[in-house]
DNA sequence: TATAAGTTTGAAATCATTTTTATTTTCAAG
DNA sequence: CTTGAAAATAAAAATGATTTCAAACTTATA
């Protein structure tokens, strides 16, 4: 998790600019929301949450922004749940666990031997997505 | 890879029955096709291929069958490509690599320390899906 | 053979995402 | 300051994969 106090407009704007993305109000809002999220919101959740403060916001803009941030490697699109795509700010590389009971998606931090893989069978690896399914500790008691 | 000679109707039927799935002609056809596939076919590819031999086949049946086989743990639905879902018969647990150049999806066999994870942070893990992105050995030369 | 249960089919509906087009904003050049 | 082009946003319409639904068919069973 990120320190919430760190998530200022300046800080978020700097992240965007470093990746060559113009820090518009909408983009700042979407990324800031993602960084503050403890869960992994869907497009719809992001849209509904931000709409409260930004009544003119269009869902298209949320889609555009998330696609752009994904291309730039700032966020990841999670396909762990087959009903909707979830988005996640990449603070530190990690895996995910979907609880088949409650549906919650947890962050799971594996040791470096997993995330450090750069080559397999002669293929060059640039990105890894590790999704577990199972029963979370809250549900199996 | 499976030995192609092993993929007989009797053998495929046995796999279905063991999981409590009635081995109808359509289900046998779909599973047999998946077992013989060297790549990871989409619903559409499966449908088109089987339609040649089974002209009455409905796409709904392909969807129904794949959903059923996935529920029963006989096949996996791969969300590695964001345009379409790919299906894969689970012969031996393995990871996948999507080549960002040619789009091909490779099977990647990791050692048991990966697939053997049964518990993390108190959560019980029943299933793991590991998807890599990168450049395959054919493309980075 | 009759009946019920399970399976398949094809059409229609759904729904997330993309495309398209129009409007607005940004920002550099004059 | 204006002006005008480029970029960003908005809203509506289109797309397309997947699901739902009702009817037809098949299979198993009494």
């Amino acid at each position: 998790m990120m320190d919430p106090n760190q998530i200022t407009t300046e800080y978020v704007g700097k992240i965007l600019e470093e990746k060559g993305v113009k820090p518009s109000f909408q983009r700042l809002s979407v990324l800031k929301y993602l960084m503050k999220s403890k869960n992994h919101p869907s497009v719809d959740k992001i849209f509904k949450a931000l709409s409260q403060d930004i009544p003119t916001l269009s869902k298209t803009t949320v889609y555009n922004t998330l696609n752009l941030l994904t291309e730039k490697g700032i966020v990841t699109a999670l396909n762990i749940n087959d009903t909707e795509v979830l988005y996640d700010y990449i603070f530190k590389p990690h895996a995910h666990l979907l609880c088949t009971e409650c549906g919650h998606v947890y962050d799971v931090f594996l040791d470096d031997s997993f995330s450090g893989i750069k080559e397999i069978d002669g293929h060059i690896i640039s990105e890894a997505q590790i999704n577990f399914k199972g029963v979370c500790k809250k549900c199996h008691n």
Side-chain angles (χ1 to χ4, degrees), chain A:
Chain A
M1 251 315 281
M2 285 205 61
D3 173 10
N5 298 321
Q6 206 182 335
I7 309 168
T8 61
T9 300
E10 298 76 48
Y11 179 74
V12 178
K14 208 168 284 176
I15 291 174
L16 290 174
E17 280 172 341
E18 272 170 10
K19 301 278 182 169
V21 176
K22 201 176 289 181
S24 71
F25 179 66
Q26 288 86 339
R27 289 167 176 170
L28 285 167
S29 306
V30 169
L31 183 51
K32 206 186 281 184
Y33 180 81
L34 270 176
M35 291 171 106
K36 287 185 177 166
S37 288
K38 303 217 175 188
N39 46 27
H40 306 82
S42 63
V43 172
D44 204 58
K45 193 169 183 188
I46 298 169
F47 172 69
K48 281 181 180 148
L50 296 181
S51 291
Q52 310 229 345
D53 298 327
I54 317 167
T56 62
L57 183 69
S58 162
K59 205 168 205 174
T60 306
T61 300
V62 178
Y63 274 104
N64 287 342
T65 302
L66 290 170
N67 287 341
L68 184 64
L69 296 181
T70 303
E71 275 171 29
K72 298 293 181 179
I74 301 172
V75 306
T76 330
L78 273 189
N79 287 325
I80 196 167
N81 191 333
D82 40 37
T83 52
E84 52 194 348
V85 177
L86 307 180
Y87 286 87
D88 195 20
Y89 172 64
I90 309 169
F91 175 52
K92 183 174 181 291
H94 58 273
H96 293 95
L97 171 104
L98 169 68
C99 176
T100 52
E101 300 291 316
C102 65
H104 191 261
V105 176
Y106 290 84
D107 285 338
V108 171
F109 293 89
L110 304 175
D111 59 66
D112 295 341
S113 64
F114 290 82
S115 50
I117 302 174
K118 292 284 165 261
E119 187 270 333
I120 291 182
D121 293 352
H123 311 304
I124 297 169
I125 291 170
S126 56
E127 200 187 317
Q129 195 163 124
I130 303 180
N131 296 331
F132 297 106
K133 281 188 188 177
V135 183
C136 78
K137 58 180 161 191
K138 285 187 185 165
C139 287
H140 69 72
N141 279 321

